[in-house]
Amino acid sequence: MKTGIIIPCYNEADRINQIAFLQFIKENGQYHLCFVNDGSSDETITVLNRLKRNADNRISVVDIKRNGGKAAAVRAGARYLHTRSDIEYVGFMDADLSTDFEDFKVLVDRLKSQRELVSVFGSRNLGGGNIQRKEDRGIMSKIVGMCIRFILRLPIKDTQCGAKVFHRDIIPVIYSKPFVSRWLFDVEIFLRLKRHFGAKRVMNHIHEQPLMRWIHEEGSKLDLKASLQIPGRLLSIYLSYNNLNLLASNKTVELQWQQNVQAPALAEISIAA
C-alpha cells in the first residue's frame, strides 16, 4: 500500500523542480505523486506530462480545464487517489517544495505508527526547525491566526501549512462536499474533522508535527490584495459552517461520496494515470 501525494499546480512551469520530484519518486517506491494542473495558462501541463513519462507509472496527472483554486485542485486529487486500491494514505504538499520530502515522510511515518490518528499535519509554529518567513507575511499570519483560532476553537498552532496527510478512510468525510473557500480550505478540513469526531475527541485523532525546514519561496499566488481579503473570507467560512443546513450529517456523507465521485463536475477533468 502506498502514500499518494497531491501537488496542486497553477502556472508552475518555471518553478517545478523536475529533478527533485523524479529523484524522490524513483528512490521511494512506496509513494505515488499526483500532480493536479489547476487550469494553468502557461506550460504547466506540458511539464507535468513530461514528468509522468519519466516516472514509470509512479506519477499521475489530473488536468482541470478551468482554474478553480487550490481547494478544488486538492479535492480533485484526493477524490482520484481514493479510487485507487493501492493507496492507503493521501496527502498534499506545495509544488515549490517549501516543505521538503524528508519532513513529509516524517508526517507519514507518524500517521502509520499511531493507529488512532487519521491525520498528521506539518506546523511552522511549534519551534525547533529552520522556518524562514517574509516579515510582512509574519504579521499577516498573526492576524489570520487570531481569526482562525476564534473559528476553530481548537489548540492548533498552524492550520495553513501546505503539508498534510490523511488515512484513506477519512477522505470521504473531508472531501465529499466542495469547499466554501478557494484557498482557506485547510480551516474547513479541521471544521469537518471537528464535526465528525466531536470537539472533545477530535484532537485524539489528529496530530500537529513540527517541521524541521520551511522556506518561503518567491512567486506565491496570494498577493497583498488577496491577503487583505482573508478576514472577510474567514467570516464567510464561519457563517457557512454555523448554518447546519449546509453540512451533511455523518450518515449522508458516505452516500454523497458514492453518488458524486463520478459527478458531472468531473467532466472537465482528465486523468493520466
Side-chain angles (χ1 to χ4, degrees), residues 81-217:
L81 289 174
H82 191 264
T83 66
R84 294 181 55 125
S85 60
D86 61 334
I87 301 293
E88 185 169 7
Y89 304 97
V90 176
F92 59 86
M93 64 189 301
D94 293 329
D96 62 9
L97 294 178
S98 51
T99 301
D100 65 21
F101 293 117
E102 293 306 311
D103 264 328
F104 193 90
K105 289 164 70 174
V106 171
L107 305 185
V108 176
D109 290 343
R110 170 74 70 158
L111 184 56
K112 289 181 176 180
S113 66
Q114 294 184 236
R115 299 183 63 181
E116 72 275 13
L117 296 179
V118 300
S119 176
V120 178
F121 50 99
S123 178
R124 299 158 294 181
N125 296 338
L126 290 179
N130 177 25
I131 309 300
Q132 299 181 24
R133 285 191 175 101
K134 292 182 66 175
E135 185 176 351
D136 59 341
R137 282 184 172 263
I139 296 171
M140 178 58 70
S141 294
K142 291 180 180 179
I143 297 172
V144 171
M146 291 173 57
C147 297
I148 291 174
R149 285 191 293 274
F150 173 78
I151 294 171
L152 285 183
R153 301 181 188 275
L154 292 174
I156 298 174
K157 299 294 186 181
D158 184 4
T159 61
Q160 300 309 112
C161 177
K164 295 178 173 67
V165 63
F166 309 89
H167 193 280
R168 68 173 287 118
D169 290 347
I170 204 68
I171 295 300
V173 172
I174 298 171
Y175 295 103
S176 63
K177 294 175 68 67
F179 293 105
V180 174
S181 172
R182 289 168 58 97
W183 299 102
L184 297 165
F185 69 101
D186 303 80
V187 177
E188 298 184 61
I189 287 175
F190 290 114
L191 285 170
R192 293 177 183 191
L193 289 171
K194 181 181 178 180
R195 185 173 186 275
H196 179 73
F197 289 110
K200 294 183 178 180
R201 296 177 54 236
V202 65
M203 296 307 296
N204 296 329
H205 298 285
I206 62 178
H207 177 75
E208 187 170 13
Q209 180 74 29
L211 297 179
M212 293 296 102
R213 173 194 173 275
W214 189 89
I215 299 176
H216 169 75
E217 298 289 347

Side-chain angles (χ1 to χ4, degrees), residues 46-86:
T46 301
V47 172
L48 299 184
N49 286 331
R50 184 185 307 130
L51 280 169
K52 176 178 167 41
R53 288 194 297 270
N54 286 282
D56 300 325
N57 296 319
R58 297 180 183 179
I59 288 178
S60 296
V61 176
V62 177
D63 184 21
I64 303 176
K65 304 304 180 184
R66 291 189 296 178
N67 175 251
K70 185 178 179 181
V74 170
R75 182 170 178 261
R79 287 158 67 85
Y80 162 66
L81 289 174
H82 191 264
T83 66
R84 294 181 55 125
S85 60
D86 61 334

Side-chain angles (χ1 to χ4, degrees), residues 9-13 37-45 65 67:
C9 302
Y10 175 63
N11 290 348
E12 300 282 0
N37 176 43
D38 183 22
S40 298
S41 58
D42 66 356
E43 296 300 315
T44 294
I45 189 61
K65 304 304 180 184
N67 175 251

